[in-house]
Amino acid sequence: MASLFSRRRNKAAQNSRVREQKHEGFMRYAGFRWAKISGGLTLLVMASYALIDVSPRHNGGSWYGYTLGTMGALLILWLTMLGVRKRRRSDDHWSLKAWTSAHVYLGLSLAVIGTWHSGFQLGWNVHTLAWALMMLVIVSGMYGIAVYALLPRSLSANREEMTQMQMLEALRAFDRQLHGTAQGLAPADAAPVLAALSENPFAGGMAARLSGRYPRCATAEALAQLGQRRGTSEDVEKVVGLLGQKQAALGRLRRHLRLRALLEIWLYVHVPLTFALIAALSAHVISVFFYW
Amino acid sequence: MTDLLKLAIIGSGPAGLSAASRAAMLGMSHILLEKTDHLSDTIFKYQKGKRVLATPERLDLRSDCRFAEGAREVILANWDEDAAQCGVNVAYQADVTGVSGQKGDFTLTTADGRQFRAEHIVLAIGTQGNPNRLRCEGYDLPHIIYQVDDPEDFKDKHITVVGSGDAGIENALGVAEEALENHVTILNRSRDFARAKAKNVSDMMDAADNGLMRVRTETQPKKVEAGWLTLDTPDGEERIPCDVIVARLGSVAPRAFVESMGIEFTGPDREAFPKLSPTFETSVGGIFVIGALAGYPLIKHCMNQGYDVAEFINGNDALTPADEKDLAAIFADLPQKKSVSAWLEYFRQRISIFHDVSPLQMREFMLDSRAAFYAKGEVVFEKGDPGSSLFAIADGFAEVEVAPNVRIPIEQGSIFGEVGLISGRKRGATIVAGVDAIFVEVTRTAALKLMAAVPGAKRAINRISLERQLLQIFKGGLTVQDLSEVVEQAEVMRFPAGKVVVAEGDTGDDIYVIRSGSMVVEKDIGGKPIFLRYLPAGSYFGEMSVLSGAPRNATVKAAVGSEVIKLTGETFRKMLDARPNVRAETEAAMAERASMNAFIESRKASYSSAVDLYSDTASFIMKEGLGEATDALLIDENLCVGCDNCEKACADSHEGLSRLDREAGKSFAHLHVPTSCRHCEHPHCMADCPPNVIHRGPDGEVFMEDGCIGCGNCMRNCPYGVIRMEATPPKKPSLFQWLLFGFGPGPGEPSPSWTKKQLGDEKPKKIAVKCDMCKGISGGPACVRACPTGAAIRVSPEEFLSIARLDGGQG
């Protein structure tokens, strides 16, 4: 009833509620706003580097190098904040899409800012360690952009409106039917079926998850073995049919898990490396100020 | 013959019990007749430990029996104690089957032949009625039950469900849950499941395929014995083990019994209630109806009415109802000072749609309404505001803005806002107070109840809404007088979703206005129906044939269940002939539509696949019921990476429970419709909410205010499955505690196991949980804000199906 009775409601308050209904991805957000900004920034850095004469040569310790270094360090801290922004709810207006867009493009420009900051003076020291970690974070991020652009449609096409829970439920349903039908098999035939029943769809480790290849799949094995025994009994026929269906359901689930893994795996590189980068960056900054 | 009592009360629920207690306290001779062997059977049948809620909070309890929110056991124990303390005379196992006599000397006969005589009768029998029983040998054995409160009460049992309506199927699915290890059989007398929802039937078939239950068609029970059930199957008799029989065969509504006493109802439809005086007396003198049967489903209402009715029968005329202070609060801000009953009478006299309303109904409508003073020139609502309440003019007049700076007065006694009420869409015009005025605003629920209960009010509202709708559609200086003949001949027609209203190539010159629901326009191009346009409520179609006389050039069919008003071509043409300006305006509008059709046709020739995709997407959107949506969440699966941040954000913005299921739902061409509220034009969830807590908010959101009693009606009524019954999980440690130290379950909805661990043995009440479009959060819906890739969007069907989409791709 509250709405009904709040008669003289504040028009302005209502209009300040922004309804995001524009249909555009994070890469194209606001007409490539952040692509333009960070592209401009990159060009500015490159041009100023060429135009400004630092003697004896460009290096991180010149006033120009300090400027780029400060910019880069602040940018790194801000880019890290995406992880907090993503998880923190607040009522004011913000859009994670806009943050992602800015994160992606400014993160890419960081490669130029950081490298140009070094004046291309690399070596075997903590400073170059920070630079290398930064570049690794950027490269892993680029992988992220690529999979975010390419994989979602495969994920969607593969699951065909099924949820992950439903895929697991379908597997369990085939297992139940297999369990019932396999009662009538000879012990030698039942053994591979039992092995297939006790198979954990999540097993196989990281390599199998990412490649989608499960060379020791018990269901495939059972299918191959019983396939040779076709025609021996009606139960074998039924079991082979069910194993075929289970194999298909398992295939779908594994493709689903693979795509999800590919979409997530890079974060396990990107995020820890970011923390390593921040540590190395701190060491770099402290050493510059205290031991230069 | 027994002694003549002052009062006989039928039914010992909250209403009857409260009435009997009051009668006992007043020293009236009385008898409380209960058909079972315990008091308050409906609540008795609740599952063990169920929390019973005491809403509405603002209403004071006035009864000699205690009642506050608490567990079923506590409430029943209190009532038993209170009844004994008051000295209530109860006759158990007294199933009243007949009533004869008249005021002053009624005779009540029970099923077992006992008779009681009373001067007055109070009917407090509720609306549940008696469940239909099995008609076979052994029908009265105790292991036959008529409802399943908690499926977990049954473990490792042979259970047979008889009856294959929705109730039967839902019970069978409940007890067939794999973990319970029951052996479940469901019987259906016929071959198919015509009476059940398609979703329930398919769930049942899935369960059968998975070996969780047996579905037996053309099978009936023949004989019930302890532990066994003999079936009559197409192949002959069969005896199966059976520990429990769940009989879901519908119930006999109490209406027939009530009507057999000569009591009149307000109308023939199911929502009708007995006609009652302000003292709850029916059309038969001496018989009173209170509680759910009188239209008050909440326990507190029932108990207050029990108290009041006993006082009234005892001759207390000065008693004012317990809601008096709530009504007084509603009238408090009005400029004049009048008593509550004087105000009620004032509105009843001055507002035409209230003329036929009884004083008792008037109280009820006013409780769901608001009366307010508006100064001259003050805006009541603006065009485009969401709102579905109805306004009535008690004093002064209102002005409707038909064009910038053109205002037409609406006189005192009339109504406005009816378009929002009927179509469920945003306000069609701005309304301002013409002078200092008093307007009564009636909520959508109360207005719909009014229309159902008072036929005169319904006719008046329908006619006014049609006239105004036509005036709004057909520009060019049309007046109400011009329309009189058109409106006279108008006919309201209902169409279920998918039904064709006008077929391409047909002859016919009637013109249609969409009253509620929406339509899609399709044209056959190259042997394939191509989507041309989505028509929301308030639009019209069929005008091309009226103006040109040519056959229909496109097919129009209902996108959702809709109502259209058919205006005959003949009267419409006459009206146009009389008003050349209107004709010119209508022709201009028609030309615009024709050119848009031509544009799509030309595109079809050059960019066939783009048009096909647009058309197929539109069909998909309509098939998913988005035709009745006002604001739905869609996910572009070209962008969705499956991070579920939308669900997490939703949970964290709303007491830890997500109101959307991203992964579930249908997809087409990578466009995904997740399980999430669409904020329907006519929300199904609002249809039957006993505490009436579902409303439409200022941004068009359908939300639930506090006071849900957890009955689950809304969840069952929602065709899209977006309402959950859940208890609020305990508070989580803050984000930084999780981020830095790993405390708590992290962002998003906590897992059931975490919640269970936090709560221990405590079982909090489950209430309905649904999307409120992040009401009150200035940043707007969290699901969309929290999407990192821009896959989640919120749209209305018009926005989504605009032609710009065809032109510019996915911009």
Side-chain angles (χ1 to χ4, degrees), chain A residues 4 7-8 19 96 156, chain B residues 374 378 441 631 637 779 785:
Chain A
L4 188 76
R7 164 159 59 114
R8 294 166 186 99
R19 210 159 133 271
L96 191 61
S156 153
Chain B
Y374 288 79
E378 191 175 343
E441 184 178 1
D631 193 309
E637 291 201 331
R785 279 191 298 155

Side-chain angles (χ1 to χ4, degrees), chain B residues 757-777:
Chain B
K757 212 170 122 196
Q758 300 298 308
L759 288 175
D761 284 339
E762 197 187 334
K763 262 195 184 172
K765 64 186 177 197
K766 288 187 177 180
I767 57 168
V769 167
K770 78 176 283 301
C771 166
D772 59 1
M773 251 202 299
C774 288
K775 180 179 168 54
I777 296 178

Side-chain angles (χ1 to χ4, degrees), chain A residues 249-260:
Chain A
L250 202 54
R252 183 207 295 274
L253 177 67
R254 284 174 176 163
R255 280 192 300 277
H256 182 75
L257 293 176
R258 171 169 183 261
L259 289 166
R260 293 213 54 170

Side-chain angles (χ1 to χ4, degrees), chain A residues 26-39 98 101-102 105:
Chain A
F26 66 101
M27 296 299 284
R28 311 166 62 114
Y29 171 73
F32 295 98
R33 174 188 296 162
W34 290 102
K36 290 173 191 161
I37 290 174
S38 67
S101 190
Y105 288 113

Side-chain angles (χ1 to χ4, degrees), chain A residues 1-9 11 13-28 81-101 144 147-167 169-170 172-174 176-177 256 259-260 263-264 267 275, chain B residues 178 209-210 212 368-370 372-374 378 382 385-386 389 441-443 620 630-631 636-645 648-649 652-653 662-668 670 672 692 695-699 703 705 735-736 738-739 747 773-781 784-790 792-796 799-800 805 810-811:
Chain A
M1 213 89 24
S3 69
L4 188 76
F5 294 157
S6 60
R7 164 159 59 114
R8 294 166 186 99
R9 83 197 147 75
K11 262 283 182 202
Q14 188 207 356
N15 292 341
S16 73
R17 264 176 72 100
V18 183
R19 210 159 133 271
E20 178 63 57
Q21 60 191 40
K22 217 159 168 207
H23 186 184
E24 54 184 10
F26 66 101
M27 296 299 284
R28 311 166 62 114
M81 288 308 288
L82 181 73
V84 177
R85 172 74 284 173
K86 179 181 165 185
R87 292 172 180 86
R88 214 177 106 185
R89 314 296 155 222
S90 58
D91 288 359
D92 50 331
H93 176 66
W94 55 271
S95 145
L96 191 61
K97 175 168 80 177
W99 273 71
T100 317
S101 190
V147 290
Y148 272 33
L150 295 173
L151 296 188
R153 69 202 63 183
S154 316
L155 187 72
S156 153
N158 176 60
R159 73 183 186 91
E160 288 183 272
E161 301 181 351
M162 277 178 101
T163 65
Q164 190 168 311
M165 289 306 285
Q166 286 167 335
M167 292 182 205
E169 185 45 50
R172 271 198 288 272
F174 287 128
R176 266 195 302 271
Q177 292 180 46
H256 182 75
L259 289 166
R260 293 213 54 170
L263 280 166
E264 282 169 18
L267 285 168
F275 286 106
Chain B
E178 200 180 354
D209 288 345
N210 290 333
L212 293 175
D368 272 346
S369 306
R370 186 181 63 86
F373 170 79
Y374 288 79
E378 191 175 343
E382 274 176 46
D385 280 358
S389 53
E441 184 178 1
V442 186
T443 56
F620 165 70
T630 62
D631 193 309
D636 180 355
E637 291 201 331
N638 287 315
L639 291 169
C640 176
V641 295
C643 65
D644 280 334
N645 215 36
K648 290 176 192 154
D652 287 345
S653 309
R662 174 193 61 82
E663 217 175 12
K666 297 268 187 272
S667 310
F668 174 78
H670 300 302
H672 181 60
N692 190 18
H695 304 290
R696 193 181 286 284
D699 291 294
F703 72 100
E705 62 178 0
L735 175 68
F736 283 98
W738 173 77
L739 217 50
M773 251 202 299
C774 288
K775 180 179 168 54
I777 296 178
S778 60
V784 174
R785 279 191 298 155
C787 179
T789 62
I793 49 170
R794 290 204 77 97
V795 286
S796 71
E799 287 162 348
F800 191 73
R805 205 172 166 77
Q810 300 196 334

Side-chain angles (χ1 to χ4, degrees), chain B residues 676-753:
Chain B
S676 144
C677 180
R678 300 109 188 267
H679 305 275
C680 299
E681 289 175 344
H682 289 284
H684 304 272
C685 50
M686 276 187 199
D688 186 11
C689 175
N692 190 18
V693 292
I694 310 177
H695 304 290
R696 193 181 286 284
D699 291 294
E701 71 278 17
V702 174
F703 72 100
M704 239 167 231
E705 62 178 0
D706 292 344
C708 171
I709 56 171
C711 68
N713 282 355
C714 52
M715 179 195 71
R716 283 187 288 275
N717 283 335
C718 174
Y720 308 111
V722 304
I723 301 183
R724 305 166 63 187
M725 303 302 296
E726 283 296 341
T728 307
K731 215 170 147 41
K732 295 187 292 191
S734 76
L735 175 68
F736 283 98
Q737 278 179 298
W738 173 77
L739 217 50
L740 301 177
F741 310 109
F743 286 141
E749 188 169 320
S751 69
S753 55

Side-chain angles (χ1 to χ4, degrees), chain A residues 40-57:
Chain A
L41 187 65
T42 310
L43 288 177
L44 187 73
V45 169
M46 288 176 165
S48 59
Y49 187 87
L51 294 175
I52 293 168
D53 189 16
V54 176
S55 64
R57 54 158 297 175

